Amino acid sequence: MGESNADLFDPRTVMDSDFSTGGLACRSGSVSDSDFAFAFNDSNFSDRVLRIEIIPDFPETKSDGEGGTSIAVWVRNRKRRREEIKKETAVDLLVDFGEQIINCNMPDTEDGASYGNEDEEDVAMIEELPSGDEAAPSNDSMWSMDCSTVLRVKTLHISSPILAAKSPFFYKLFSNGMRESEQRHVTLRIHASEEAALMDLLNFMYSNTLSRMTTTALLDVLMAADKFEVASCMRYCSRSLRNLPMTCESALLYLDLPSTVLMADAVQPLTDAAKQFLAARFKDITKFQDELLNLPLAGIEAVLSSDDLQVGSEDSIYEFVLKWARIHYPKLEDRREVLGLRLCHLIRFPYMNCRKLRKVLTCNDFDSEVASKLVLGALLFKAETPFRQRSLAAEEASGTCHRFVERAYKYRPVKVVEFELPSQQCIVYLDLKREDCACLFPTSRLYSHAFYLGGQGFFLSAHCNMDQQSSYHCFGLFLGMQEKGSVSFAVDYEFSARSKPTEEFVSKYKGNYTFTGGKAVGYRNLFGMTWTEFMAEDSLYFINGVVHLRAELTIRK
């Protein structure tokens, strides 16, 4: 028996059994997969007594009871505790071996766990309630004294091998300062609001299941499992929460859990699901703008991380982010910090038009150095060849930062080269992917970003329309002028497209037109073929899955 116990308490064996992947649990299933529910609180199968001292909660914090409390109340209670104590700073652990007392301290979950020196004995412990980096003021000190008041005590018979196999916390607790004594008692001191969660957690460590499956109950157990380092329970809670119906309220709550909980591998699938839910829920930024403006920072980050947002252009994303930041961070210093550290990498500056990028340089909401770096990076990307741009986007597609990945914009980005002499002229390049074109069938259209010539805004629009005789569908390209009063422009224009096998631009249509606000001109069948021929795998105009279009505009004197 002695040899068996030695193996169980071998740190390498314990670390492999449950709180690391691919260890004893995977090899034999004898620890983490077994059901020891029959031994819970049974003296016949226990070697220690766990004494749980329950002390009053922090001011205005209410217990969740049996887990029926609403999410809103759960959030309010948790946030109130964070504001007052910057998270729980300690859980008092009194380990009683006969007459000897060894004090172990488990810091708050923000800083990880540490344990008392086994050589230190008879050291009095008082739970400290700091405020920031300083000691708590006198009124909080009075509350600290109240914390020593024990409301009630629960006593359980426990098996140290079972708890140690599930938790590094209990493993270190039981292997620290052990003395040869038949009477070994462990005392945990917890707040009243943690009682139900701790009982559920202890029961889980024996049975691998939970009886209360409401959102708030699972969240409480998740927090307790993080505090006492029970990774298997964290995975169970995370999986159970993912199986419950997701709402905006719950998704935001999952993203606002304490940082140590969010960083745990077991919780990553839950936070990923929450981010995906919010991104899908608020996919159309224009439609849900009022709701989006009320989201907290974590929610905005989740939405802006999506590649599938339905938005006119990245210019709109930029304007929205500024509006949100000004509402939530009215102080300029705070706003610059959150924009520079949290939000700027979610705005895809390379896909903003150059006129808007110039405004970024003079925007007071961004630190000037940050703004310069963002704009420079965007311009360098725009200057790259299409192949290099696609390579950069592919490299980032698998990561968390997608600044070079193009969203599904309603208005497609263009490249523009402008000339002032010998006459005002611009050359506009518009690239359309095969999937972009496929979405146009049978009667849709797609617009480019605005570009400017002679101070007037123009745009390109690609159509799937019927030919002049309305006998078949075909690809059309049109040039339009943005509506601004009664201004008129006489413009010469030419449409070209790259074509196989040379992959050089080939002129497809020339014309001239006197534009007035809101008018457009173009060609209904740019390539002189049916839609089916245009979209075919052997099409002359798709080069690596992209149609490359060019429009040359010159103001007539």
Side-chain angles (χ1 to χ4, degrees), residues 456-459 479-487 513 515-521:
Q456 182 59 49
F458 291 85
F459 61 90
L479 172 67
M481 188 175 83
Q482 292 181 323
E483 189 169 359
K484 278 191 178 181
S486 58
V487 178
Y513 189 75
F515 286 92
T516 56
K519 299 296 183 179
V521 66

Side-chain angles (χ1 to χ4, degrees), residues 304-361:
L304 295 182
S305 297
S306 173
D307 297 338
D308 301 319
L309 294 183
Q310 294 178 355
V311 62
S313 67
E314 198 66 27
D315 296 0
S316 301
I317 296 285
Y318 169 79
E319 293 294 346
F320 168 79
V321 170
L322 287 185
K323 186 175 182 180
W324 180 90
R326 288 164 182 166
I327 292 173
H328 291 266
Y329 297 89
K331 291 184 178 179
L332 179 60
E333 183 179 353
D334 296 339
R335 188 161 64 250
R336 283 185 171 182
E337 181 177 356
V338 76
L339 286 171
L341 297 179
R342 302 288 293 273
L343 295 178
C344 70
H345 68 281
L346 298 176
I347 303 172
R348 304 183 186 183
F349 290 93
Y351 293 99
M352 291 171 56
N353 70 50
C354 293
R355 290 171 68 92
K356 186 65 71 174
L357 288 175
R358 281 196 289 267
K359 292 183 179 180
V360 174
L361 291 174

